[in-house]
Amino acid sequence: MDGLGSSSLSFIVVLVLVLNVALFCNGGKTSSFVRKAELGVDMPLSSDVFQVPPGYNAPQQVHITQGDHEGRGMIVSWVTMDEPGSNTVIYWSEKSTRRMKAEGQVYTYKFYDYTSGYIHHCTITNLKYNTKYYYVVGIGHTRRKFWFLTPPPVGPDAAYTFGIIGDLGQTYDSNLTLTHYERNFQQGKTVLFLGDLSYADRYANNDGVRWDTWGRFVERRVAYEPWIWTVGNHEIELNPILNIETTPFKPYTHRYHVPHEASSSIDPLWYSIKRASAYIIVLSSYSAFSPYSPQWLWLQLELQNVDRSQTPWLIVLMHAPLYNSYYDHYMEGEPMRVVFEPLFVQFKVDVVFSGHVHAYERSERVSNIAYNITNGDCTIKRDQSAPVYITIGDGGISKAWLPNYSAYREASFGHAIFDIKNRTHAYYSWHRNRHGYSEEADSMWFYNRYWYPFDDSTASIQSSM
Ligand SMILES: [Fe+2]
């Protein structure tokens, strides 16, 4: 070998290998910003954010979510404490004086020594797109009035802005996160909520009072824009120790209704909606997902039903991340990754949002689906057909963390915005809570996997995988 001896060649090979390992292990960027370390403290019951609205039997914990598959329906929910009261919602379009009425239903539940208030759910249908509606609840006792905006018609170039929050809880940090989201100039119109709502299960006997306080805390936003609910582990509340509480998800499923039947789902823990140019699939990390389970069977059909010429942006929500390089909850999503990841790659999912890990992380487009048990090919690879995996489990509950590799990770609280511009481009940004202020700490231009499937990797990792 002329000019380059075998020892030199060996040295270069070793050097390349070492560099590859170093790059792979270090991946992208680990932010040097670390939030203060103390454990998140819940706001006291006397906190002003938990105030009960005045008036006899006044509706409280008012919240809305999409009520159909296309975005022309809204589920309006509220709780009354003194008596059941009316199930009626009166609503009208900003452009009309004609008052309309919808009738809902009322539910209660007991959990050990806690009895819920009267939980009302009322679905409004046949709303006009792109319209402001006012609505009133509490008919016959104390009326309260709110409003919401309906989305644009489902279509490939409908611009729309989603906020993304996970693991919110009711700590002082939770309040900061919600405040920062509210003040974000990009103005999210709907929140994709990634599970773990109230953390009431951290209290003795899973104190339902902390579900009520959480409902009152978030009302200031969720009464005015729909939040799309995903179930987390803190909603399981399976408590055989309490002897009589053996039904999982009991408080959550009574308090938060979703339009699962509109997407032919048999279970409110997994379902889908269309909103503007997005098709959003919500999955349950805590329901069976193995092949031939109801959730797996549903997802197979569901993905085939997605028409990217109508809804270019295919977004999946789940609580436990499939890719997570923190020590906390490491590999918890692995069983689901093995089952669902090939589908996500086959159907070119744009992005998977998760919570659960109480920090922030964004992956590059990677997959690990080649392994067939005989080929030994079980290494994560860059894959432009794969989704970006984003963990936003950093609403307000703190926990220890340790990084390993990814495109970007940071142990802060915060929220994100997914701003769809048209069928090809969406601007994604993550906003950390920094000493009482909010600032953009990570961002990425998403190229749509169906309409514009070019490499949209961020520069920091392009050479490493
Ligand atoms: Fe969780």
Side-chain angles (χ1 to χ4, degrees):
M1 194 172 283
D2 290 331
L4 194 63
S6 61
S7 60
S8 303
L9 189 60
S10 302
F11 173 76
I12 290 168
V13 168
V14 168
L15 185 66
V16 166
L17 283 172
V18 167
L19 280 175
N20 266 341
V21 169
L23 284 166
F24 182 79
C25 291
N26 291 324
K29 182 180 173 187
T30 296
S31 170
S32 59
F33 181 83
V34 178
R35 64 166 181 250
K36 58 191 188 309
E38 76 266 24
L39 207 66
V41 176
D42 277 358
M43 294 178 283
L45 293 174
S46 59
S47 173
D48 59 351
V49 300
F50 298 148
Q51 261 181 4
V52 175
Y56 178 75
N57 212 29
Q60 57 171 269
Q61 306 172 50
V62 180
H63 56 272
I64 58 174
T65 193
Q66 184 163 319
D68 67 350
H69 205 231
E70 307 275 338
R72 294 186 63 204
M74 198 72 89
I75 301 173
V76 178
S77 307
W78 69 98
V79 178
T80 51
M81 287 300 191
D82 301 312
E83 59 174 290
S86 171
N87 293 326
T88 304
V89 176
I90 296 177
Y91 63 101
W92 63 96
S93 150
E94 181 183 42
K95 298 165 187 159
S96 165
T97 54
R98 183 170 157 244
R99 302 299 199 253
M100 291 171 284
K101 274 186 186 179
E103 279 299 313
Q105 285 186 295
V106 64
Y107 305 79
T108 60
Y109 73 92
K110 289 180 186 295
F111 193 99
Y112 194 62
D113 57 353
Y114 169 85
T115 303
S116 75
Y118 303 95
I119 305 166
H120 304 256
H121 299 287
C122 178
T123 304
I124 302 172
T125 55
N126 293 319
L127 298 167
K128 291 191 176 70
Y129 287 118
N130 271 330
T131 302
K132 184 174 185 177
Y133 282 90
Y134 293 96
Y135 69 97
V136 171
V137 290
I139 313 303
H141 293 131
T142 301
R143 292 185 175 213
R144 294 184 68 204
K145 180 179 162 187
F146 304 89
W147 55 264
F148 59 77
L149 299 169
T150 54
V154 171
D157 288 308
Y160 203 71
T161 309
F162 291 98
I164 304 145
I165 299 174
D167 301 70
L168 187 57
Q170 46 194 303
T171 68
Y172 290 99
D173 292 302
S174 316
N175 197 22
L176 269 183
T177 298
L178 185 57
T179 303
H180 291 164
Y181 168 64
E182 291 172 301
R183 292 179 182 173
N184 192 313
F185 74 93
Q186 290 170 287
Q187 284 298 301
K189 297 180 174 75
T190 292
V191 163
L192 307 177
F193 193 88
L194 305 171
D196 285 357
L197 288 69
S198 72
Y199 290 77
D201 63 341
R202 298 204 307 183
Y203 287 83
N205 304 331
N206 300 39
D207 189 0
V209 168
R210 281 291 175 171
W211 272 109
D212 292 320
T213 53
W214 195 80
R216 295 199 291 271
F217 160 49
V218 296
E219 181 194 272
R220 70 188 200 221
R221 188 71 184 191
V222 72
Y224 299 92
E225 72 176 6
W227 286 21
I228 308 305
W229 303 109
T230 309
V231 76
N233 54 304
H234 285 278
E235 280 72 71
I236 299 173
E237 304 201 67
L238 181 67
N239 201 337
I241 298 165
L242 299 181
N243 202 22
I244 56 170
E245 296 306 341
T246 53
T247 306
F249 307 106
K250 190 177 181 181
Y252 170 76
T253 52
H254 278 82
R255 290 171 180 274
Y256 294 91
H257 279 195
V258 297
H260 62 286
E261 286 162 348
S263 55
S264 305
S265 165
I266 60 164
D267 195 317
L269 304 186
W270 65 82
Y271 63 100
S272 72
I273 58 162
K274 297 175 194 173
R275 200 160 181 86
S277 50
Y279 199 103
I280 297 159
I281 294 179
V282 179
L283 297 176
S284 169
S285 301
Y286 307 103
S287 304
F289 52 79
S290 60
Y292 311 107
S293 64
Q295 185 172 205
W296 182 88
L297 286 167
W298 175 82
L299 183 61
Q300 305 287 313
L301 284 176
E302 184 65 15
L303 285 166
Q304 289 168 37
N305 287 339
V306 179
D307 176 0
R308 302 292 276 274
S309 67
Q310 184 193 43
T311 50
W313 295 95
L314 181 50
I315 299 171
V316 172
L317 315 181
M318 63 177 69
H319 186 62
L322 303 191
Y323 282 92
N324 162 40
S325 72
Y326 290 95
Y327 286 169
D328 268 8
H329 305 298
Y330 188 60
M331 300 283 274
E332 278 185 24
E334 189 65 4
M336 184 181 268
R337 184 193 66 74
V338 171
V339 177
F340 284 170
E341 185 181 27
L343 291 169
F344 294 166
V345 174
Q346 180 188 345
F347 288 95
K348 298 185 190 308
V349 170
D350 289 291
V351 57
V352 177
F353 289 113
S354 303
H356 198 41
V357 180
H358 295 153
Y360 173 74
E361 184 164 31
R362 173 173 59 82
S363 80
E364 293 293 351
R365 295 192 185 279
V366 292
S367 72
N368 188 8
I369 55 174
Y371 187 44
N372 68 5
I373 220 165
T374 61
N375 62 9
D377 192 6
C378 56
T379 309
I380 298 171
K381 290 186 170 61
R382 294 189 65 193
D383 185 341
Q384 288 301 315
S385 294
V388 172
Y389 295 90
I390 298 178
T391 303
I392 307 181
D394 55 351
I397 302 290
S398 41
K399 219 171 187 183
W401 63 282
L402 281 170
N404 184 9
Y405 73 90
S406 63
Y408 189 99
R409 62 192 160 221
E410 181 173 313
S412 304
F413 296 123
H415 71 275
I417 298 282
F418 194 77
D419 190 6
I420 296 172
K421 305 291 187 187
N422 51 38
R423 73 183 68 191
T424 57
H425 285 70
Y427 183 72
Y428 164 79
S429 56
W430 176 71
H431 304 259
R432 72 160 71 99
N433 300 351
R434 184 187 180 101
H435 310 313
Y437 296 92
S438 179
E439 65 184 7
E440 183 180 297
D442 184 35
S443 64
M444 171 181 167
W445 275 101
F446 271 76
Y447 299 164
N448 186 268
R449 290 301 92 185
Y450 180 84
W451 287 98
Y452 197 67
F454 296 101
D455 188 345
D456 55 4
S457 307
T458 48
S460 59
I461 200 169
Q462 274 180 346
S463 59
S464 67
M465 295 187 72

